[in-house]
Amino acid sequence: NASKLAFALGLHYLCNLNNQGMAGSNFVDYVKIFARSGHGGAGSAHFRREKFVAFGGPDGGDGGKGGSIVLQGDSQYWTLIHLKYQRHQFAEDGQCGSGARSSGRDARDIVIPVPLGTVARRVVEQEDGTTLTEDVGEVTADGEQLVLLKGGRGGLGNWHFKSATNQTPRYAQPGEEGDEGTFILELKVLADVGLVGFPNAGKSTLL
């Protein structure tokens, strides 16, 4: 009876592996990526220019936000193999502001789908050349997002700096710089089937 039970459980386990495609090199549970978030767009130092307006005031718009690098849990994924050949993830910069208080376009975030149970750690290089890792977080639910790198904020246009004592500010804020870094993504895998049986019952043979 014990041998039959071990055989049945082992067969069920192998069928699960076959159905999910978790065989051979298709299953990747560890990957290292380099990511860079986008810079924020610069604010505009534009002044209003119209034919019948003698003293056009400042009307420079704000810069757009840089793109962020985000992990998102996806229950349809069970491996990190899609990142094995996409180890560089770069977000775009935000667009600069322009006249007529027109704000620059925000850059699109880079959203990376990952399996549930993915742990993210950041690689930090020390002054002596050694490296350490810092925990960033873990994705445990479908749709849950974890921000690896936040995009830079857009700079303010010159109209924000107009005051009673400074009617014509000729400066605007530059965009905030993005961030970059190396990250280790690791998938925590838990076995959902165990083999129970007497010694020499054939458990190893089934695996």
Side-chain angles (χ1 to χ4, degrees), residues 11-197:
L11 184 61
H12 177 69
Y13 177 71
L14 293 176
C15 287
N16 279 345
L17 288 183
N18 183 57
N19 290 335
Q20 297 178 19
M22 295 174 62
S25 61
N26 287 334
F27 183 66
V28 176
D29 62 353
Y30 178 96
V31 69
K32 184 182 290 187
I33 66 171
F34 179 78
R36 180 187 299 146
S37 61
H39 304 313
S44 172
H46 188 270
F47 286 89
R48 185 180 174 191
R49 297 283 186 266
E50 294 184 23
K51 185 174 182 180
F52 300 105
V53 178
F55 301 101
D59 67 348
D62 302 339
K65 183 183 77 70
S68 299
I69 307 294
V70 183
L71 300 182
Q72 179 169 296
D74 192 328
S75 59
Q76 300 300 314
Y77 282 74
W78 48 265
T79 175
L80 297 171
I81 193 171
H82 59 294
L83 295 174
K84 185 177 180 180
Y85 305 106
Q86 298 178 5
R87 295 174 184 258
H88 292 82
Q89 300 286 337
F90 298 150
E92 296 179 349
D93 298 336
Q95 196 176 49
C96 296
S98 56
R101 296 191 183 183
S102 297
S103 297
R105 177 180 57 84
D106 290 343
R108 180 176 60 90
D109 292 338
I110 299 297
V111 180
I112 306 171
V114 294
L116 307 187
T118 299
V119 178
R121 299 194 302 274
R122 184 167 187 169
V123 179
V124 180
E125 188 170 342
Q126 305 295 304
E127 294 182 355
D128 59 1
T130 60
T131 58
L132 300 174
T133 58
E134 295 179 350
D135 290 337
V136 178
E138 180 181 355
V139 179
T140 59
D142 190 38
E144 179 185 358
Q145 292 193 337
L146 175 65
V147 179
L148 294 184
L149 296 172
K150 193 173 182 180
R153 292 177 299 179
L156 298 177
N158 62 345
W159 73 272
H160 288 280
F161 305 105
K162 181 180 178 181
S163 65
T165 57
N166 186 8
Q167 294 289 323
T168 57
R170 300 184 181 278
Y171 53 86
Q173 275 187 342
E176 186 179 60
E177 291 189 357
D179 196 3
E180 64 180 29
T182 300
F183 294 86
I184 294 174
L185 306 182
E186 191 167 9
L187 179 60
K188 293 200 303 188
V189 180
L190 299 178
D192 55 1
V193 174
L195 292 182
V196 180

